[in-house]
Amino acid sequence: MKKYFRKIQKELIMFIILTFLSYVVNSLNPYFLKILFEGQYKEAIIGYTACLILFIVLCYFCNITQTKYKLKFDQILKEDYFNKVVSLNYEEFSKKKVGEYISFQVNDITEIGNDYLGPLMAIITQSIRLITYFVVIIITLDIKVSLILLGVSLLGVLLPKSLGTETAKRRNNYLNYQKKYYSKIEEFFNGFKVINFRTRSNIEGDHRKNLKKVLDERYKYGKANSFMWVLNGLGSESLNYIIFLYLGYLTFKGSVTTGFAVATFQYAQSFMEPVQEILYDMSMINSSKGLVKSFLDFIRADNEAHKSIHIKDFTEVNINNLNKNFSEFSLKNINLNLEKNKKYALVGLNGSGKSTLFNILSSHINDYSGEFKIDGRDISEIEPSYLFGVMNQDEYMFSQNYDDNVTIFNSYKNINNNVFTNDAEKLKGSNNCRLLSGGEKKLIGLVRLFNENTPIVLLDEPFSAIDESKKQDLFDKTLSLNKTVVMITHDIGENLDRFDSILFMENGSLIYNLPYEKLKDKKEFRSLKNAVSI
C-alpha cells in the first residue's frame, strides 16, 4: 500500500501535525486542574479556557484534513481497481461474477479505507498522544507517574493481541459470504422476467437462505469482535486500578496533595483512551489484512499481455490448427484464412462451435492452442480493437443517451457518412438506450459498429430483432461495406449467395469454406436446412 500512501502523504502529514498540536493543548488541562486545587485560580481558569478553545479549533481542522485524505484514498483505490477490471480480457473477467466486482468496488475498497487506513492512522496519532502525555506528565507532575502509566499501557496493548487472528478469520468469512450474497442478488434481479406468482415464493426462500448465511457469519464475527473488546477494556481498565493503588500508597505515606491526585487520575483517563483506541485499531488492521492482500494481488496481477502494436489495416488473417477445449465441447483443428474486404457467413446448428470461433476472432477467448496471425504477426502482439469491430447478438446498451452509446462516451468519432445513421434517426433523442426495444438496440449497435471504423467487422445475428421491412436493406448495407465481414446467421436462404464464402461448422469443426453455389448441394448443408425449417 506504500504507493497509495505516498499519493496522499501531504494530507497525512498535515493531519498528523494538527493532531499532535491538539494533543499538546489537551494534555495541559489536567495541569491547570492541579494548580486550580493549589490556589492559582486566575492562571488555571485562563489557561484551561485558552486550551479548550484552541483544542476545538484544531479538532475542526483535523477532521477536515482527515475527510480529505480518506476521500482521496478511496478515489485512488477505486480508480485503480476499476481500471484494472476494464483492462482484463473477457476470459479473465468472466472468472468472477459481475456482482463480485461490484461488491469489491463499492464495499470492500471503502472498507479498506475505514478498516485499514483509518486504524493505521489512529495507531500513529494515538501513539503520538501517549508520548505527548508522557512528556507533559514528566514536566508537570512526576516521572514515576509517567513510567507507571506508560508501562501499564504497553502491557494492556499486548494482552489481547493473540486473539486478533481469530477475529480476522471471522471477518474474512463474513466478507466472502457477503460477496456471494451480492452475486446472488444480481442474478435474481437480472432474471427478473422469470419471477412471477408461481416462482416468487421459491425465489424468496432461496434469497432468505443466502441472507441467513451472511447474517450467521456476521454474528460470528461480531461475537469474536465483542470478546476482543472485553479484553481491550480489561487491559485499559487495569491502568485505573494500578493508579488507584499507587495513589493509595502515596496517601498512606502522606506524600500526595489533592491537586496531584486529581491530575494523576485525569492523566490516567487520558492514557486509557489511546490505549483502547490502539487495541481496537490493531484488531481492525489485523482483520482487514486479507482484504488488502486481495486488492493488491488483483492490482499487481499481470492478467493480460501488454499489447502496444496498433495495426489499423491488414492483408490477410491466418488461423492454423486452432483448438479450444471445454469440459463438454471442443473446437478442433480450425484452419481459416480471411481476406481483405471479403464477406463470410458463419453457419451451423446450435453447439456447432460458431460462437466459440466468433469469440476467438473477437478476442473474447484467448486461451487456445494453434496460430492466429495477422499478416504473419501473432494476434497476442497486436491490440485487436483497431482491427476487429464486434457486434454481439445481445449488444449491450448503456443507460445513457444516443451519442454516448454510438461512440462509447466519445471513444469513437461519430462518422458523418455512417450508412446506418438514417435508420436510427428516430433514436437520436433517446436519453436512456437501455429502455429501447430489441430492434432499436440493434440499430444503435450497427451505428456503433460503423463508428468503430475497423477493417474487419464481426456480427452475431445482427438483424434478429429488426422489423422484416428493414432487414433486407440493412443486410444490403452491411455487405456493401468496404470491409471484411464475418457474420453468424441462421438465415440460410438465398441471401447466402451474397457472401463470398460460407463457413460451415459441425461438431466443433470447420468442415466447409465454400461459396454458396458449391455448398448448397452438400448433404450436411441440406441437413442443416431441413433442421432449421422444422
Side-chain angles (χ1 to χ4, degrees):
M1 299 298 287
K2 289 181 180 178
K3 79 168 186 175
Y4 296 106
F5 293 154
R6 283 195 292 269
K7 291 180 180 181
I8 59 171
Q9 62 183 358
K10 290 181 181 179
E11 290 82 0
L12 294 180
I13 291 171
M14 180 59 68
F15 175 71
I16 290 172
I17 291 172
L18 289 170
T19 303
F20 167 70
L21 293 175
S22 70
Y23 290 152
V24 170
V25 171
N26 195 46
S27 67
L28 294 173
N29 287 337
Y31 166 72
F32 291 118
L33 190 62
K34 173 179 175 291
I35 65 174
L36 179 69
F37 276 94
E38 293 174 353
Q40 301 178 49
Y41 305 116
K42 182 177 179 181
E43 293 86 346
I45 292 172
I46 292 174
Y48 196 98
T49 303
C51 285
L52 181 61
I53 294 171
L54 189 55
F55 178 72
I56 292 171
V57 173
L58 287 169
C59 283
Y60 171 76
F61 286 106
C62 278
N63 289 334
I64 293 296
T65 308
Q66 185 181 52
T67 301
K68 285 183 178 180
Y69 81 65
K70 282 187 174 180
L71 291 176
K72 189 174 180 180
F73 184 76
D74 192 59
Q75 177 186 352
I76 294 169
L77 263 62
K78 286 182 176 177
E79 284 181 354
D80 268 17
Y81 183 80
F82 181 84
N83 294 343
K84 182 66 177 181
V85 171
V86 297
S87 72
L88 298 175
N89 63 56
Y90 187 75
E91 272 186 300
E92 287 291 336
F93 176 81
S94 301
K95 289 178 180 178
K96 295 181 181 179
K97 295 181 179 180
V98 172
E100 292 184 61
Y101 291 111
I102 295 173
S103 174
F104 205 100
Q105 174 84 17
V106 175
N107 297 307
D108 292 5
I109 292 178
T110 300
E111 288 186 17
I112 290 175
N114 293 334
D115 299 345
Y116 184 81
L117 175 63
L120 181 62
M121 291 305 298
I123 287 175
I124 293 171
T125 54
Q126 295 303 320
S127 298
I128 291 173
R129 182 179 180 183
L130 285 174
I131 295 170
T132 302
Y133 276 83
F134 178 74
V135 173
V136 171
I137 292 169
I138 290 175
I139 296 171
T140 61
L141 283 183
D142 180 68
I143 191 171
K144 291 181 181 178
V145 174
S146 292
L147 292 174
I148 291 172
L149 291 173
L150 185 61
V152 178
S153 298
L154 293 176
L155 183 63
V157 168
L158 296 174
L159 182 63
K161 188 176 180 181
S162 60
L163 285 179
T165 303
E166 180 63 21
T167 305
K169 177 184 174 183
R170 294 298 183 188
R171 184 173 186 273
N172 288 333
N173 287 344
Y174 159 57
L175 292 176
N176 288 333
Y177 272 98
Q178 183 174 259
K179 289 176 188 175
K180 293 177 182 178
Y181 174 67
Y182 276 114
S183 295
K184 200 69 176 179
I185 289 293
E186 182 203 10
E187 286 185 358
F188 287 145
F189 290 166
N190 283 338
F192 194 81
K193 287 183 178 179
V194 304
I195 298 177
N196 55 43
F197 179 79
R198 296 167 63 191
T199 63
R200 188 174 294 117
S201 178
N202 285 342
I203 287 175
E204 288 172 350
D206 194 75
H207 166 260
R208 192 180 303 112
K209 180 176 67 176
N210 283 277
L211 179 60
K212 186 178 185 302
K213 288 180 181 178
V214 176
L215 296 179
D216 286 345
E217 290 301 320
R218 185 175 174 181
Y219 173 73
K220 292 175 184 177
Y221 165 56
K223 190 164 64 171
N225 203 38
S226 297
F227 190 50
M228 178 70 73
W229 265 108
V230 170
L231 286 184
N232 289 350
L234 178 62
S236 57
E237 288 297 335
S238 63
L239 182 61
N240 255 352
Y241 184 67
I242 291 175
I243 289 297
F244 172 79
L245 294 178
Y246 176 67
L247 289 176
Y249 169 75
L250 292 180
T251 303
F252 176 76
K253 297 275 290 185
S255 56
V256 64
T257 65
T258 303
F260 182 91
V262 171
T264 300
F265 259 112
Q266 282 282 317
Y267 279 121
Q269 291 294 323
S270 299
F271 260 72
M272 281 179 59
E273 291 178 14
V275 169
Q276 286 180 318
E277 182 70 27
I278 289 172
L279 291 171
Y280 176 73
D281 293 328
M282 286 173 62
S283 66
M284 290 302 293
I285 288 176
N286 198 31
S287 67
S288 63
K289 283 181 179 178
L291 199 59
V292 172
K293 185 178 184 300
S294 295
F295 172 81
L296 293 177
D297 287 347
F298 179 74
I299 293 296
R300 292 168 181 164
D302 186 16
N303 299 98
E304 184 179 73
H306 301 290
K307 299 173 181 176
S308 57
I309 301 174
H310 297 175
I311 298 175
K312 298 184 179 180
D313 205 357
F314 80 107
T315 301
E316 190 174 45
V317 175
N318 304 108
I319 292 177
N320 298 308
N321 195 31
L322 188 145
N323 294 271
K324 171 63 180 175
N325 295 317
F326 298 97
S327 58
E328 298 180 357
F329 171 80
S330 294
L331 203 64
K332 302 180 287 288
N333 300 319
I334 303 297
N335 294 282
L336 172 65
N337 293 334
L338 300 178
E339 298 179 36
K340 188 176 178 67
N341 295 334
K342 297 287 187 178
K343 311 299 186 282
Y344 301 88
L346 185 54
V347 303
L349 291 171
N350 290 335
S352 62
K354 302 188 303 297
S355 295
T356 302
L357 180 57
F358 184 90
N359 285 327
I360 289 173
L361 288 171
S362 58
S363 293
H364 289 158
I365 294 177
N366 296 285
D367 181 20
Y368 51 81
S369 63
E371 293 184 341
F372 182 180
K373 294 185 175 182
I374 309 295
D375 295 338
R377 190 184 296 274
D378 194 272
I379 189 66
S380 63
E381 302 172 15
I382 299 169
E383 173 48 55
S385 60
Y386 290 94
L387 276 176
F388 295 89
V390 183
M391 180 177 171
N392 296 293
Q393 185 172 5
D394 296 314
E395 188 70 358
Y396 189 82
M397 294 293 128
F398 296 96
S399 56
Q400 307 292 129
N401 61 31
Y402 171 87
D403 284 335
D404 282 339
N405 272 282
V406 298
T407 65
I408 309 296
F409 307 99
N410 294 317
S411 301
Y412 312 129
K413 291 182 180 179
N414 210 338
I415 299 175
N416 291 328
N417 64 342
N418 193 319
V419 295
F420 300 109
T421 300
N422 289 338
D423 299 289
E425 187 70 31
K426 294 180 180 179
L427 307 177
K428 290 183 177 180
S430 175
N431 290 318
N432 183 354
C433 291
R434 293 280 290 166
L435 302 179
L436 298 176
S437 69
E440 290 170 332
K441 290 177 181 177
K442 292 282 189 180
L443 291 175
I444 288 181
L446 288 168
V447 177
R448 176 194 290 173
L449 184 68
F450 193 92
N451 284 340
E452 288 184 53
N453 197 24
T454 58
I456 304 172
V457 294
L458 310 172
L459 307 96
D460 186 356
E461 290 291 336
F463 317 119
S464 58
I466 291 175
D467 292 342
E468 292 295 329
S469 60
K470 291 183 178 181
K471 277 187 179 181
Q472 190 61 44
D473 180 53
L474 292 172
F475 177 80
D476 293 340
K477 287 178 178 178
T478 301
L479 292 194
S480 69
L481 297 176
N482 189 31
K483 300 174 184 292
T484 300
V485 175
V486 180
M487 183 191 299
I488 292 180
T489 179
H490 287 99
D491 181 2
I492 56 172
E494 295 302 318
N495 264 336
L496 287 181
D497 67 1
R498 301 281 303 280
F499 292 92
D500 294 294
S501 188
I502 315 301
L503 309 177
F504 186 95
M505 299 202 68
E506 187 175 81
N507 297 324
S509 297
L510 179 60
I511 62 172
Y512 292 116
N513 181 359
L514 296 171
Y516 178 69
E517 285 300 317
K518 293 184 178 181
L519 179 68
K520 65 181 182 179
D521 293 326
K522 300 289 184 182
K523 63 178 182 178
E524 294 89 350
F525 183 75
R526 290 200 303 269
S527 296
L528 171 65
K529 201 167 186 178
N530 291 334
V532 171
S533 62
I534 292 176

